[in-house]
Amino acid sequence: MSDLLKMNEKDFTETMKNKTERIESILKEYIPSESSHQKTIIEAMEYSVMGGGKRLRPMMLWEAYSLAGGREEKVAAPFMAAIEMIHTYSLVHDDLPAMDNDEYRRGRKTTHVVYGEDMGILTGDALLNYAYETAANAIMSMEDIRSGVKALQILSGKAGVYGMVGGQVVDVEKTGSQVSEDELEYIYLHKTSALIEASLMAGAALAGADDDMINDMEKVGRYVGMAFQIQDDILDITSTTSELGKPVHSDEKNEKCTYVTIYGMDKAVKAVEEYSEKALDILAGMSAQNEYLNSLIEMLVRRKK
């Protein structure tokens, strides 16, 4: 860990701001704009995707692509947009009355509150399908089609029944009942970690990385995802609605077991640090390093929203 390259806080903050702005521009490029009778759903898609957020998953995809030697933004950009569309669809559906029934996301009204529950469901459906359409269209114009197909295979698998959807199923089924340690880990690894794993793995795959590096990226994503979700549990208790941009104490309201309720606050704080260290240790052992990615993972431990 002592050899791990990191950025100082000032440089990191400025770099993150610039990268986030660039991702926002990319998302605007790939969100559908032409509309006819279906204009409501396109407006709802834009409202949902462009509602702010950390842009963590497209950012990690790009950093993994760069770490693996990728240099062409045009190769990574459509996949960056696709992973954010997939992430956004999951949030739109997560907020629905049948799920968490949240009225606020990122400091503003959730999609189903603005457009209705029916359009909330359809917006999620549209974003998921358009994510795959965006990635598939990009693959058709790639020089290295095999790498593109590999990246799409990763995205679809990690988002599906053996990934994020699988974690969401167990999370819904266990709401209001006691969750075992094994079940909680399953939920976190699939509901949260899976898309972070997908971001890092797909980025590496797009750059033509071998299976060993892609597998290492999967492990990094797994540890980062666990740290990220446990930190979310902590912030749900310690933060405020204005700071977090969404309701606090929502886990308690929805009768959900979390890492904090099972293990306690002290162990939760320690777990965030330990999982983050594991991720950074893997990155430190690689032949190449990305100091921004290292700093980004470290920042997730200290985040307040």
Side-chain angles (χ1 to χ4, degrees), residues 48 88-105 110-125 168 172 253-254 256:
S48 303
T88 303
Y89 116 77
S90 74
L91 299 181
V92 171
H93 279 183
D94 210 31
D95 291 334
L96 288 169
M99 305 283 268
D100 288 349
N101 195 24
D102 282 328
E103 293 187 2
Y104 287 91
R105 167 77 63 178
T110 49
T111 303
H112 74 87
V113 171
V114 175
Y115 292 93
E117 186 177 359
D118 49 4
M119 286 299 158
I121 294 169
L122 289 170
T123 299
D125 295 343
Q168 185 74 9
V172 169
K253 180 195 77 173
N254 294 317
K256 288 188 177 182

Side-chain angles (χ1 to χ4, degrees), residues 225-270:
M226 286 295 292
F228 187 86
Q229 183 57 58
I230 297 169
Q231 183 68 3
D232 250 13
D233 296 346
I234 294 169
L235 293 175
D236 189 64
I237 296 172
T238 62
S239 190
T240 64
T241 299
S242 59
E243 189 173 34
L244 207 55
K246 61 182 180 179
V248 294
H249 305 295
S250 60
D251 292 326
E252 182 181 355
K253 180 195 77 173
N254 294 317
E255 300 181 62
K256 288 188 177 182
C257 283
T258 69
Y259 202 95
V260 176
T261 60
I262 290 179
Y263 296 102
M265 183 63 76
D266 290 344
K267 191 166 183 180
V269 171
K270 186 177 180 182

Side-chain angles (χ1 to χ4, degrees), residues 170-283:
V170 180
D171 187 39
V172 169
E173 287 182 336
K174 287 296 179 177
T175 296
S177 61
Q178 188 61 36
V179 175
S180 69
E181 294 178 9
D182 181 65
E183 288 168 334
L184 185 74
E185 183 179 49
Y186 181 91
I187 293 168
Y188 285 16
L189 285 176
H190 293 77
K191 183 180 176 182
T192 303
S193 291
L195 277 197
I196 295 177
E197 292 169 22
S199 303
L200 294 168
M201 294 169 71
L206 285 171
D210 60 21
D211 288 343
D212 287 342
M213 184 174 186
I214 292 173
N215 290 338
D216 280 342
M217 288 291 98
E218 183 175 33
K219 293 174 187 174
V220 171
R222 184 178 306 146
Y223 295 138
V224 171
M226 286 295 292
F228 187 86
Q229 183 57 58
I230 297 169
Q231 183 68 3
D232 250 13
D233 296 346
I234 294 169
L235 293 175
D236 189 64
I237 296 172
T238 62
S239 190
T240 64
T241 299
S242 59
E243 189 173 34
L244 207 55
K246 61 182 180 179
V248 294
H249 305 295
S250 60
D251 292 326
E252 182 181 355
K253 180 195 77 173
N254 294 317
E255 300 181 62
K256 288 188 177 182
C257 283
T258 69
Y259 202 95
V260 176
T261 60
I262 290 179
Y263 296 102
M265 183 63 76
D266 290 344
K267 191 166 183 180
V269 171
K270 186 177 180 182
V272 172
E273 295 176 357
E274 289 176 347
Y275 279 119
S276 300
E277 288 294 319
K278 287 181 179 180
L280 291 170
D281 281 342
I282 294 172
L283 291 172

Side-chain angles (χ1 to χ4, degrees), residues 8-184:
N8 64 57
E9 188 170 349
K10 181 181 178 182
D11 288 346
F12 173 77
T13 301
E14 183 64 26
T15 302
M16 187 177 196
K17 178 176 177 290
N18 293 335
K19 286 178 179 289
T20 303
E21 288 175 355
R22 181 57 195 140
I23 291 170
E24 296 283 336
S25 298
I26 289 170
L27 293 175
K28 288 177 183 176
E29 289 175 24
Y30 285 95
I31 292 174
S33 56
E34 294 183 17
S35 64
S36 179
H37 294 295
Q38 88 287 33
K39 65 178 182 178
T40 301
I41 199 68
I42 290 178
E43 288 175 6
M45 290 169 72
E46 181 178 13
Y47 178 85
S48 303
V49 173
M50 301 311 298
K54 302 174 189 68
R55 309 306 187 192
L56 181 64
R57 290 151 193 84
M59 194 175 289
M60 285 192 164
L61 191 149
W62 172 259
E63 298 309 322
Y65 175 70
S66 300
L67 181 64
R71 295 293 178 265
E72 295 185 71
E73 186 184 88
K74 66 180 182 180
V75 172
F79 287 86
M80 292 165 69
I83 193 74
E84 190 69 2
M85 289 179 202
I86 294 170
H87 173 56
T88 303
Y89 116 77
S90 74
L91 299 181
V92 171
H93 279 183
D94 210 31
D95 291 334
L96 288 169
M99 305 283 268
D100 288 349
N101 195 24
D102 282 328
E103 293 187 2
Y104 287 91
R105 167 77 63 178
R106 296 166 177 167
R108 63 179 192 163
K109 294 285 187 179
T110 49
T111 303
H112 74 87
V113 171
V114 175
Y115 292 93
E117 186 177 359
D118 49 4
M119 286 299 158
I121 294 169
L122 289 170
T123 299
D125 295 343
L127 285 169
L128 178 60
N129 281 279
Y130 202 71
Y132 294 140
E133 185 178 342
T134 299
N137 286 339
I139 291 170
M140 295 300 292
S141 61
M142 287 176 63
E143 290 182 17
D144 185 0
I145 291 179
R146 185 176 179 83
S147 293
V149 172
K150 178 68 174 176
L152 180 56
Q153 179 188 40
I154 290 166
L155 290 188
S156 57
K158 291 294 184 180
V161 67
Y162 295 108
M164 180 180 66
V165 172
Q168 185 74 9
V169 167
V170 180
D171 187 39
V172 169
E173 287 182 336
K174 287 296 179 177
T175 296
S177 61
Q178 188 61 36
V179 175
S180 69
E181 294 178 9
D182 181 65
E183 288 168 334
L184 185 74

